[in-house]
Short mmCIF file of all heavy atoms in Angstrom, two decimals:
data_model
loop_
_atom_site.label_atom_id
_atom_site.label_comp_id
_atom_site.label_asym_id
_atom_site.label_seq_id
_atom_site.Cartn_x
_atom_site.Cartn_y
_atom_site.Cartn_z
N GLN A 1410 49.33 29.51 31.03
CA GLN A 1410 50.36 30.05 30.13
C GLN A 1410 49.91 29.93 28.67
O GLN A 1410 50.12 30.85 27.88
CB GLN A 1410 51.69 29.34 30.35
CG GLN A 1410 52.81 29.95 29.54
CD GLN A 1410 54.15 29.28 29.82
OE1 GLN A 1410 54.22 28.24 30.45
NE2 GLN A 1410 55.21 29.89 29.32
N THR A 1411 49.27 28.83 28.35
CA THR A 1411 48.76 28.62 26.99
C THR A 1411 47.69 29.67 26.66
O THR A 1411 47.68 30.23 25.57
CB THR A 1411 48.17 27.20 26.86
OG1 THR A 1411 49.19 26.26 27.16
CG2 THR A 1411 47.65 26.93 25.47
N VAL A 1412 46.81 29.94 27.61
CA VAL A 1412 45.76 30.94 27.42
C VAL A 1412 46.38 32.33 27.29
O VAL A 1412 45.97 33.12 26.42
CB VAL A 1412 44.74 30.90 28.59
CG1 VAL A 1412 43.75 32.05 28.49
CG2 VAL A 1412 44.02 29.57 28.61
N GLU A 1413 47.40 32.63 28.09
CA GLU A 1413 48.06 33.93 28.02
C GLU A 1413 48.69 34.16 26.65
O GLU A 1413 48.56 35.23 26.06
CB GLU A 1413 49.13 34.04 29.11
CG GLU A 1413 49.84 35.38 29.10
CD GLU A 1413 50.94 35.46 30.16
OE1 GLU A 1413 51.08 34.54 30.98
OE2 GLU A 1413 51.67 36.47 30.13
N ILE A 1414 49.34 33.14 26.11
CA ILE A 1414 49.95 33.24 24.78
C ILE A 1414 48.87 33.48 23.73
O ILE A 1414 49.01 34.33 22.86
CB ILE A 1414 50.77 31.96 24.45
CG1 ILE A 1414 52.00 31.89 25.36
CG2 ILE A 1414 51.17 31.93 22.97
CD1 ILE A 1414 52.70 30.54 25.34
N ALA A 1415 47.76 32.75 23.83
CA ALA A 1415 46.65 32.92 22.88
C ALA A 1415 46.07 34.33 22.96
O ALA A 1415 45.78 34.95 21.94
CB ALA A 1415 45.57 31.87 23.14
N GLN A 1416 45.90 34.83 24.18
CA GLN A 1416 45.35 36.17 24.36
C GLN A 1416 46.28 37.24 23.79
O GLN A 1416 45.82 38.19 23.16
CB GLN A 1416 45.07 36.44 25.84
CG GLN A 1416 43.89 35.66 26.36
CD GLN A 1416 43.68 35.85 27.85
OE1 GLN A 1416 44.55 36.32 28.58
NE2 GLN A 1416 42.50 35.47 28.32
N LYS A 1417 47.58 37.09 24.00
CA LYS A 1417 48.54 38.05 23.44
C LYS A 1417 48.51 38.02 21.92
O LYS A 1417 48.55 39.07 21.27
CB LYS A 1417 49.95 37.74 23.95
CG LYS A 1417 50.18 38.12 25.38
CD LYS A 1417 51.59 37.79 25.82
CE LYS A 1417 51.83 38.19 27.27
NZ LYS A 1417 53.19 37.85 27.71
N THR A 1418 48.43 36.82 21.36
CA THR A 1418 48.37 36.69 19.90
C THR A 1418 47.10 37.33 19.36
O THR A 1418 47.13 38.10 18.40
CB THR A 1418 48.45 35.21 19.49
OG1 THR A 1418 49.66 34.65 20.00
CG2 THR A 1418 48.39 35.04 17.98
N LEU A 1419 45.97 37.03 20.00
CA LEU A 1419 44.69 37.59 19.56
C LEU A 1419 44.68 39.11 19.70
O LEU A 1419 44.18 39.82 18.82
CB LEU A 1419 43.55 36.95 20.35
CG LEU A 1419 42.14 37.16 19.83
CD1 LEU A 1419 42.00 36.71 18.38
CD2 LEU A 1419 41.15 36.41 20.71
N ALA A 1420 45.27 39.63 20.77
CA ALA A 1420 45.35 41.08 20.96
C ALA A 1420 46.19 41.73 19.87
O ALA A 1420 45.85 42.79 19.34
CB ALA A 1420 45.93 41.40 22.34
N THR A 1421 47.30 41.08 19.50
CA THR A 1421 48.16 41.60 18.44
C THR A 1421 47.42 41.63 17.11
O THR A 1421 47.44 42.65 16.40
CB THR A 1421 49.44 40.74 18.31
OG1 THR A 1421 50.15 40.78 19.56
CG2 THR A 1421 50.33 41.23 17.19
N ILE A 1422 46.75 40.54 16.78
CA ILE A 1422 45.99 40.48 15.53
C ILE A 1422 44.86 41.52 15.55
O ILE A 1422 44.64 42.23 14.56
CB ILE A 1422 45.44 39.06 15.29
CG1 ILE A 1422 46.59 38.08 15.07
CG2 ILE A 1422 44.46 39.04 14.10
CD1 ILE A 1422 46.17 36.61 15.08
N GLY A 1423 44.16 41.63 16.67
CA GLY A 1423 43.08 42.60 16.79
C GLY A 1423 43.57 44.03 16.59
O GLY A 1423 42.93 44.83 15.90
N GLU A 1424 44.71 44.34 17.19
CA GLU A 1424 45.27 45.69 17.04
C GLU A 1424 45.65 45.97 15.59
O GLU A 1424 45.37 47.05 15.06
CB GLU A 1424 46.50 45.84 17.94
CG GLU A 1424 47.09 47.24 17.90
CD GLU A 1424 48.22 47.39 18.88
OE1 GLU A 1424 49.29 46.77 18.66
OE2 GLU A 1424 48.05 48.12 19.86
N ILE A 1425 46.23 44.98 14.92
CA ILE A 1425 46.59 45.13 13.50
C ILE A 1425 45.32 45.41 12.67
O ILE A 1425 45.35 46.20 11.74
CB ILE A 1425 47.31 43.87 12.98
CG1 ILE A 1425 48.71 43.78 13.60
CG2 ILE A 1425 47.38 43.86 11.45
CD1 ILE A 1425 49.39 42.44 13.39
N CYS A 1426 44.21 44.79 13.07
CA CYS A 1426 42.94 44.97 12.36
C CYS A 1426 42.23 46.25 12.77
O CYS A 1426 41.14 46.55 12.26
CB CYS A 1426 42.03 43.77 12.60
SG CYS A 1426 42.65 42.23 11.89
N GLY A 1427 42.81 47.01 13.70
CA GLY A 1427 42.22 48.28 14.11
C GLY A 1427 41.06 48.12 15.09
O GLY A 1427 40.21 49.00 15.19
N LEU A 1428 41.04 47.01 15.82
CA LEU A 1428 39.94 46.75 16.75
C LEU A 1428 40.34 47.04 18.19
O LEU A 1428 41.47 46.78 18.59
CB LEU A 1428 39.50 45.29 16.64
CG LEU A 1428 39.05 44.82 15.26
CD1 LEU A 1428 38.84 43.32 15.24
CD2 LEU A 1428 37.79 45.55 14.84
N ARG A 1429 39.38 47.53 18.96
CA ARG A 1429 39.59 47.75 20.41
C ARG A 1429 39.06 46.57 21.20
O ARG A 1429 39.50 46.31 22.32
CB ARG A 1429 38.92 49.03 20.84
CG ARG A 1429 39.58 50.27 20.23
CD ARG A 1429 38.92 51.53 20.71
NE ARG A 1429 38.98 51.63 22.16
CZ ARG A 1429 39.77 52.47 22.82
NH1 ARG A 1429 40.55 53.28 22.16
NH2 ARG A 1429 39.77 52.51 24.14
N SER A 1430 38.08 45.87 20.64
CA SER A 1430 37.55 44.65 21.26
C SER A 1430 37.10 43.72 20.14
O SER A 1430 36.86 44.16 19.01
CB SER A 1430 36.38 44.97 22.20
OG SER A 1430 35.30 45.48 21.47
N ILE A 1431 36.99 42.45 20.48
CA ILE A 1431 36.59 41.44 19.49
C ILE A 1431 35.43 40.65 20.06
O ILE A 1431 35.55 40.02 21.11
CB ILE A 1431 37.76 40.48 19.15
CG1 ILE A 1431 38.97 41.28 18.65
CG2 ILE A 1431 37.34 39.44 18.13
CD1 ILE A 1431 40.26 40.47 18.59
N ASP A 1432 34.29 40.69 19.38
CA ASP A 1432 33.11 39.94 19.79
C ASP A 1432 32.92 38.68 18.95
O ASP A 1432 32.32 37.73 19.39
CB ASP A 1432 31.85 40.80 19.66
CG ASP A 1432 31.90 42.02 20.56
OD1 ASP A 1432 32.30 41.88 21.73
OD2 ASP A 1432 31.53 43.12 20.09
N ASP A 1433 33.43 38.74 17.72
CA ASP A 1433 33.26 37.64 16.78
C ASP A 1433 34.52 37.55 15.94
O ASP A 1433 35.02 38.57 15.46
CB ASP A 1433 32.04 37.94 15.89
CG ASP A 1433 31.63 36.78 15.00
OD1 ASP A 1433 32.52 36.13 14.41
OD2 ASP A 1433 30.42 36.53 14.90
N SER A 1434 35.03 36.35 15.77
CA SER A 1434 36.28 36.18 15.02
C SER A 1434 36.18 36.66 13.57
O SER A 1434 37.19 36.97 12.94
CB SER A 1434 36.76 34.73 15.06
OG SER A 1434 35.80 33.87 14.46
N GLU A 1435 34.97 36.78 13.04
CA GLU A 1435 34.80 37.29 11.68
C GLU A 1435 35.26 38.74 11.54
O GLU A 1435 35.55 39.20 10.44
CB GLU A 1435 33.35 37.15 11.21
CG GLU A 1435 33.05 35.74 10.73
CD GLU A 1435 31.80 35.67 9.89
OE1 GLU A 1435 31.54 36.61 9.11
OE2 GLU A 1435 31.09 34.66 10.01
N GLN A 1436 35.34 39.46 12.66
CA GLN A 1436 35.85 40.83 12.63
C GLN A 1436 37.30 40.86 12.16
O GLN A 1436 37.79 41.90 11.72
CB GLN A 1436 35.76 41.46 14.02
CG GLN A 1436 34.36 41.69 14.52
CD GLN A 1436 34.37 42.17 15.96
OE1 GLN A 1436 34.30 41.36 16.88
NE2 GLN A 1436 34.47 43.47 16.15
N LEU A 1437 38.00 39.75 12.26
CA LEU A 1437 39.41 39.66 11.88
C LEU A 1437 39.60 39.29 10.41
O LEU A 1437 40.72 39.36 9.90
CB LEU A 1437 40.12 38.62 12.75
CG LEU A 1437 39.97 38.78 14.26
CD1 LEU A 1437 40.55 37.56 14.98
CD2 LEU A 1437 40.64 40.06 14.72
N HIS A 1438 38.54 38.89 9.75
CA HIS A 1438 38.63 38.41 8.38
C HIS A 1438 38.96 39.53 7.40
O HIS A 1438 38.57 40.68 7.58
CB HIS A 1438 37.32 37.75 7.95
CG HIS A 1438 37.04 36.47 8.65
ND1 HIS A 1438 36.15 35.55 8.17
CD2 HIS A 1438 37.51 35.93 9.81
CE1 HIS A 1438 36.08 34.52 8.99
NE2 HIS A 1438 36.90 34.73 9.99
N ASN A 1439 39.69 39.15 6.35
CA ASN A 1439 39.98 40.02 5.20
C ASN A 1439 40.74 41.28 5.55
O ASN A 1439 40.58 42.31 4.91
CB ASN A 1439 38.68 40.35 4.44
CG ASN A 1439 37.95 39.10 4.01
OD1 ASN A 1439 38.54 38.18 3.46
ND2 ASN A 1439 36.67 39.04 4.30
N GLN A 1440 41.59 41.20 6.56
CA GLN A 1440 42.43 42.32 6.97
C GLN A 1440 43.89 41.96 6.68
O GLN A 1440 44.46 41.13 7.38
CB GLN A 1440 42.26 42.60 8.48
CG GLN A 1440 40.85 42.90 8.90
CD GLN A 1440 40.36 44.23 8.38
OE1 GLN A 1440 41.11 45.19 8.29
NE2 GLN A 1440 39.09 44.29 8.03
N PRO A 1441 44.49 42.53 5.65
CA PRO A 1441 45.88 42.17 5.31
C PRO A 1441 46.84 42.47 6.46
O PRO A 1441 46.72 43.49 7.13
CB PRO A 1441 46.19 43.06 4.10
CG PRO A 1441 44.86 43.40 3.53
CD PRO A 1441 43.93 43.49 4.71
N MET A 1442 47.76 41.55 6.68
CA MET A 1442 48.81 41.72 7.68
C MET A 1442 50.01 40.89 7.26
O MET A 1442 49.91 40.02 6.39
CB MET A 1442 48.31 41.31 9.07
CG MET A 1442 47.97 39.84 9.22
SD MET A 1442 47.19 39.47 10.81
CE MET A 1442 45.56 40.14 10.56
N GLU A 1443 51.14 41.18 7.85
CA GLU A 1443 52.35 40.42 7.57
C GLU A 1443 52.47 39.32 8.62
O GLU A 1443 52.36 39.59 9.82
CB GLU A 1443 53.57 41.32 7.61
CG GLU A 1443 54.85 40.62 7.19
CD GLU A 1443 56.04 41.56 7.10
OE1 GLU A 1443 55.84 42.75 6.74
OE2 GLU A 1443 57.15 41.11 7.39
N ILE A 1444 52.67 38.09 8.17
CA ILE A 1444 52.88 36.97 9.08
C ILE A 1444 54.28 36.42 8.88
O ILE A 1444 54.79 36.39 7.76
CB ILE A 1444 51.82 35.86 8.91
CG1 ILE A 1444 51.84 35.27 7.49
CG2 ILE A 1444 50.43 36.38 9.26
CD1 ILE A 1444 50.94 34.06 7.29
N LYS A 1445 54.90 36.03 9.98
CA LYS A 1445 56.22 35.39 9.92
C LYS A 1445 55.99 33.89 10.05
O LYS A 1445 55.47 33.41 11.06
CB LYS A 1445 57.11 35.88 11.06
CG LYS A 1445 58.48 35.26 11.03
CD LYS A 1445 59.36 35.78 12.14
CE LYS A 1445 60.74 35.15 12.04
NZ LYS A 1445 61.65 35.72 13.04
N VAL A 1446 56.38 33.16 9.01
CA VAL A 1446 56.14 31.73 8.94
C VAL A 1446 57.46 30.97 9.09
O VAL A 1446 58.47 31.37 8.51
CB VAL A 1446 55.47 31.37 7.59
CG1 VAL A 1446 55.31 29.87 7.42
CG2 VAL A 1446 54.13 32.08 7.44
N ILE A 1447 57.42 29.90 9.89
CA ILE A 1447 58.57 28.99 9.99
C ILE A 1447 58.13 27.61 9.51
O ILE A 1447 56.93 27.34 9.35
CB ILE A 1447 59.13 28.91 11.43
CG1 ILE A 1447 58.10 28.27 12.37
CG2 ILE A 1447 59.57 30.27 11.93
CD1 ILE A 1447 58.70 27.77 13.67
N VAL A 1448 59.11 26.74 9.29
CA VAL A 1448 58.82 25.36 8.95
C VAL A 1448 59.20 24.51 10.17
O VAL A 1448 60.36 24.49 10.58
CB VAL A 1448 59.60 24.89 7.70
CG1 VAL A 1448 59.33 23.42 7.43
CG2 VAL A 1448 59.22 25.74 6.50
N LYS A 1449 58.21 23.86 10.74
CA LYS A 1449 58.43 22.98 11.89
C LYS A 1449 58.80 21.60 11.33
O LYS A 1449 58.04 21.03 10.54
CB LYS A 1449 57.16 22.92 12.72
CG LYS A 1449 57.31 22.23 14.03
CD LYS A 1449 56.03 22.35 14.84
CE LYS A 1449 56.14 21.52 16.09
NZ LYS A 1449 54.88 21.52 16.85
N PRO A 1450 59.96 21.06 11.72
CA PRO A 1450 60.40 19.78 11.17
C PRO A 1450 59.44 18.63 11.49
O PRO A 1450 58.70 18.69 12.48
CB PRO A 1450 61.75 19.54 11.84
CG PRO A 1450 62.15 20.83 12.45
CD PRO A 1450 60.90 21.61 12.69
N ALA A 1451 59.50 17.59 10.66
CA ALA A 1451 58.69 16.39 10.90
C ALA A 1451 59.09 15.78 12.24
O ALA A 1451 60.25 15.83 12.64
CB ALA A 1451 58.91 15.39 9.77
N GLU A 1452 58.09 15.21 12.91
CA GLU A 1452 58.35 14.64 14.23
C GLU A 1452 57.33 13.54 14.49
O GLU A 1452 56.13 13.73 14.30
CB GLU A 1452 58.29 15.80 15.23
CG GLU A 1452 57.88 15.55 16.58
CD GLU A 1452 57.85 16.83 17.41
OE1 GLU A 1452 58.74 17.70 17.30
OE2 GLU A 1452 56.90 16.96 18.18
N ALA A 1453 57.80 12.37 14.90
CA ALA A 1453 56.96 11.20 15.17
C ALA A 1453 56.06 10.92 13.97
O ALA A 1453 56.55 10.75 12.87
CB ALA A 1453 56.17 11.38 16.46
#
């Protein structure tokens, strides 16, 4: 399930960057996109 979530996230980012496949994470660099940020409360 963790891998599936990561793959979905990577696919979303790749699509935003206009990529059909990703061979190197540097292909994702310097591509503007909108990110939704939350604040995770302090814990332990």
Side-chain angles (χ1 to χ4, degrees):
Q1410 185 177 12
T1411 302
V1412 173
E1413 181 182 353
I1414 292 167
Q1416 289 176 343
K1417 286 180 179 179
T1418 302
L1419 193 55
T1421 300
I1422 294 169
E1424 183 175 69
I1425 290 167
C1426 294
L1428 302 172
R1429 293 182 58 108
S1430 65
I1431 303 167
D1432 298 317
D1433 188 317
S1434 61
E1435 279 197 37
Q1436 293 173 269
L1437 307 171
H1438 291 199
N1439 304 312
Q1440 302 291 324
M1442 65 188 74
E1443 186 174 327
I1444 60 173
K1445 180 178 182 176
V1446 175
I1447 65 163
V1448 177
K1449 189 174 174 185
E1452 151 182 319

